[in-house]
C-alpha cells in the first residue's frame, strides 16, 4: 500500500562507480521529484518531472540523470560517484505541479 | 531571494507541555506554506499546509499553524506534546509559476521530548 516507494533503502558504493535509485508512486500523481538531503539535514530539490517531461533541473551535475519511463516512475542514475554525493535522496510526487509533495522513505547513499 | 528560516535548531520540551516551532519566510507573493515532520530514519510526512483562506490551519497529529502575513511567519503549535512527537520538523515555502514548481525548505528544528 506504499504510496511512494524507493529502492534500495541503503546503497554503499565506491567512488567512480555508477548506481541507480528507483522510485515508484501508486497515487496517480502527475508530478514527481528528486530531493537531496545532505549531512546537515538540508533538503534541496534536484529535479521535477510532470507527465514524464523534465520541468526543473536545479543546477545538478551532468553525472546525475533522471529518467521517467512513465508517470508512475522516476529513476535517478548517477555516474562516476564522488564522496560528496553521499546523502539521503528522497523521491516525491504530487497531484499537480502545485500540489503538496508526498515523500518516499529515502535512499541513504554512502560513497567510500 | 526566497528563503525559509527556522531560528531554533534544537528544542527540548517536557511531555505534556505546549510547543511552538518558529518559521519565517521571505517571498514576494502570497506564499504556499508547509510543515513536514521527519522521524529518525524515515521520510517526510506532511503535517499541514496553507494555500489560502483561514490563516489558522489544522493538521494531523493535533498540530496547527498560523499564517501571519505581517510577520512573515507560519509557526507550528501543539497544545500538549507526546513522546512520539520527537522528530525533526521542516517548514517549507512553495514556489510556483512558469518553470519553477518546488519547495524551499528551512534547515529544520530538532524536537526532543523529555519525560
Amino acid at each position: 500500500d506504499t504510496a511512494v516507494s524507493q529502492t534500495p533503502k541503503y546503497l554503499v558504493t565506491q567512488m567512480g562507480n555508477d548506481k541507480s535509485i528507483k522510485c515508484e508512486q501508486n497515487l496517480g500523481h502527475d508530478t514527481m521529484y528528486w530531493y537531496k538531503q545532505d549531512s546537515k539535514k538540508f533538503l534541496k530539490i534536484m529535479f521535477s518531472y510532470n507527465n514524464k517531461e523534465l520541468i526543473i533541473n536545479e543546477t545538478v551535475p551532468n553525472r546525475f540523470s533522471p529518467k521517467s519511463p512513465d508517470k508512475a516512475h522516476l529513476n535517478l542514475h548517477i555516474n562516476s560517484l564522488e564522496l560528496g554525493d553521499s546523502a539521503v535522496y528522497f523521491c516525491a510526487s504530487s497531484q499537480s505541479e502545485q500540489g503538496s509533495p508526498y515523500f518516499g522513505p529515502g535512499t541513504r547513499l554512502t560513497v567510500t | 531571494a526566497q528563503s525559509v528560516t527556522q531560528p531554533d535548531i534544537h528544542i527540548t520540551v517536557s511531555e505534556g507541555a505546549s510547543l511552538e516551532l518558529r518559521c519565517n519566510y521571505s517571498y514576494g507573493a502570497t506564499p504556499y506554506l508547509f510543515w513536514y515532520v521527519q522521524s529518525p530514519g524515515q521520510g517526510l510526512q506532511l503535517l499541514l499546509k496553507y494555500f489560502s483562506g483561514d490563516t489558522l490551519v489544522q493538521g494531523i497529529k493535533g498540530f496547527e499553524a498560523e499564517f501571519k502575513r505581517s510577520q512573515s511567519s507560519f509557526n507550528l503549535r501543539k497544545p500538549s506534546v507526546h513522546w512520539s512527537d520527537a522528530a525533526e520538523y521542516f517548514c517549507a515555502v512553495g514556489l510556483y509559476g512558469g518553470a519553477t514548481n518546488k519547495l524551499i525548505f528551512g534547515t529544520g528544528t530538532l524536537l526532543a521530548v523529555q519525560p
Side-chain angles (χ1 to χ4, degrees), chain A residues 3-66:
Chain A
V4 182
S5 59
Q6 295 178 229
T7 53
K9 190 169 173 65
Y10 300 96
L11 187 51
V12 181
T13 188
Q14 291 184 327
M15 277 174 37
N17 285 348
D18 304 338
K19 290 293 177 186
S20 291
I21 306 172
K22 295 187 175 184
C23 176
E24 176 181 2
Q25 55 95 2
N26 62 7
L27 297 166
H29 288 169
D30 287 338
T31 306
M32 296 187 73
Y33 313 82
W34 279 108
Y35 279 82
K36 178 180 179 181
Q37 186 175 45
D38 64 22
S39 58
K40 296 185 178 179
K41 298 287 185 77
F42 184 63
L43 277 150
K44 188 166 187 238
I45 191 165
M46 300 173 68
F47 302 102
S48 80
Y49 270 73
N50 182 264
N51 277 317
K52 302 193 299 176
E53 183 182 339
L54 178 66
I55 302 298
I56 292 176
N57 178 340
E58 197 78 355
T59 60
V60 178
N62 290 339
R63 299 183 295 103
F64 290 80
S65 52

Side-chain angles (χ1 to χ4, degrees), chain B:
Chain B
Q2 302 89 353
S3 65
V4 176
T5 302
Q6 293 180 248
D8 304 305
I9 296 172
H10 187 230
I11 282 183
T12 299
V13 299
S14 299
E15 192 167 13
S18 63
L19 171 71
E20 183 168 28
L21 301 182
R22 296 184 290 165
C23 173
N24 293 96
Y25 66 89
S26 172
Y27 186 55
T30 300
Y32 292 70
L33 295 162
F34 305 80
W35 274 101
Y36 283 86
V37 60
Q38 184 178 24
S39 298
Q42 303 296 314
L44 287 90
Q45 182 181 21
L46 179 66
L47 284 175
L48 47 78
K49 63 189 177 189
Y50 171 79
F51 281 6
S52 64
D54 194 347
T55 55
L56 185 61
V57 180
Q58 301 298 320
I60 62 171
K61 304 185 179 188
F63 285 92
E64 66 178 25
E66 186 171 12
F67 168 58
K68 292 186 178 180
R69 185 187 300 276
S70 60
Q71 298 177 19
S72 297
S73 69
F74 189 56
N75 294 349
L76 182 71
R77 301 194 294 247
K78 186 169 185 178
S80 177
V81 169
H82 188 261
W83 64 266
S84 60
D85 293 324
E88 187 104 29
Y89 291 80
F90 292 94
C91 180
V93 62
L95 306 185
Y96 301 115
T100 302
N101 294 303
K102 62 183 179 183
L103 298 189
I104 302 289
F105 282 89
T107 48
T109 297
L110 182 62
L111 174 66
V113 180
Q114 58 187 21

